[in-house]
Amino acid sequence: MTNPFQPPAVFHRWGHRLTATLVGLSLAATLAGCGSPEASATQNSEDLPVVLTTFTVLADIAQNVAGDKLAVESITKVGAEIHGYEPTPQDIAKASKAQLILDNGLNLEAWFGQFVAELEVPHVVLSDGIEVMDITEDADAGKPNPHAWMSPLNVQKYVANIRDAFIELDPDNREHYTNNAATYTAELQALQENLLAGLSGLTENERALVTCEGAFSYLARDVGLREKYIWAVNAEQQASPRQIVSVIEFVQENKVPAVFCESTVSDAPMQQVVQGSDAVFGGTLYVDSLSEADGPVPTYLDMIRHDSDVILEAMTGGTE
């Protein structure tokens, strides 16, 4: 099949560990200064200002704006589950040396408030200014859906926030950040237009996206897909029988041909949906983490293209 998406160009657990974490900070900082991998990653030959993001997706987006003027790093590693992440003393030691920290906001990083409270480092919430969607099901109903970055349209606002933060941090390179932000924004818009074009041929029952986590609400809204998920956010450890039955009923009633799960969680609950319905398992989607450089989604743009390709291939049975 041809690829239509190719563009033209856990707070409560953290709190009781805070004291132990801070006690370890001095030792971690000492170790970080003695040639450890953490130290070498933070330092570079040009002594560029260090910008930290909370997870790898934000790091890639920010790097596109920073270019060669800033050193952008992610606190969490590739493959990490961001929702319930627990910072280490090494994380705090690294963050204390940063000039700026970027987080997503919208309650995504449950550990982040207490993390930055112990640091005298400015931070910027990248989701500020977007049109927030609320979670509509389960215990988190009414809370903001944090996965705003899954919309290329929303990420254009992220880029504007990053640009402004970088200009404030490093005003001498204002033109550099402005130009990089404009170039990347154009790529995001082209990606959005190609998503719409590629998905335009789906039939009504194929326009239902069923996933383990409710991470695709913004993307679904922007491209005209209905959404159904097992759980709202990945903080839940297991799917309940009620959640599984609800998804099976939705799949059967709407004759949904394929269902999906995200890379950072087990697909076992969705396999139960497959066993209880006529749908097939369509594949693994990426949301909370990029892959390694030689993996399927080394960049944010690659991630959106990959997810869209997997969805379209599974929904149409490779006939488009």
Side-chain angles (χ1 to χ4, degrees), residues 280-297:
V280 300
F281 184 72
T284 299
L285 305 179
Y286 287 80
V287 175
D288 295 335
S289 176
L290 300 180
S291 66
E292 298 287 358
D294 59 351
V297 294

Side-chain angles (χ1 to χ4, degrees), residues 8 15 24 60 103 127 153 190 204 296:
D60 177 70
D103 72 297
S127 62
L153 296 181
E204 183 62 25

Side-chain angles (χ1 to χ4, degrees), residues 33-215:
C34 298
S36 70
E38 295 286 350
S40 61
T42 305
Q43 301 298 323
N44 59 70
S45 60
E46 300 180 65
D47 291 325
L48 296 177
V50 174
V51 176
L52 286 185
T53 70
T54 46
F55 60 110
T56 57
V57 175
L58 299 187
D60 177 70
I61 296 168
Q63 187 63 68
N64 278 275
V65 181
D68 60 357
K69 302 301 182 183
L70 301 169
V72 180
E73 302 174 8
S74 171
I75 295 172
T76 58
K77 304 295 188 265
V78 165
E81 169 49 57
I82 184 65
H83 298 272
Y85 182 74
E86 297 188 14
T88 67
Q90 289 81 5
D91 292 332
I92 300 178
K94 180 190 291 188
S96 68
K97 298 178 181 179
Q99 280 70 54
L100 177 67
I101 300 177
L102 306 176
D103 72 297
N104 181 77
L106 303 178
N107 300 328
L108 175 71
E109 304 97 336
W111 46 273
F112 190 73
Q114 209 161 352
F115 181 77
V116 297
E118 305 301 326
L119 303 171
E120 294 184 3
V121 179
H123 89 275
V124 171
V125 179
L126 297 186
S127 62
D128 280 354
I130 68 159
E131 182 180 348
V132 177
M133 299 181 69
D134 287 340
I135 295 169
T136 60
E137 297 182 18
D138 301 329
D140 291 303
K143 297 179 181 179
N145 189 311
H147 303 93
W149 70 90
M150 290 306 294
S151 159
L153 296 181
N154 283 344
V155 172
Q156 294 183 37
K157 182 60 180 177
Y158 280 45
V159 169
N161 290 335
I162 292 168
R163 176 201 62 207
D164 294 347
F166 287 177
I167 289 174
E168 182 172 352
L169 174 66
D170 181 24
D172 289 345
N173 286 306
R174 170 186 294 269
E175 184 176 2
H176 173 83
Y177 302 129
T178 300
N179 291 341
N180 285 354
T183 298
Y184 193 58
T185 296
E187 292 185 78
L188 292 166
Q189 184 59 38
L191 178 59
Q192 174 67 19
E193 292 170 1
N194 279 273
L195 290 175
L196 289 171
L199 294 169
S200 63
L202 291 179
T203 63
E204 183 62 25
N205 65 305
E206 292 169 348
R207 301 191 71 83
L209 180 58
V210 179
T211 57
C212 285
E213 183 185 15

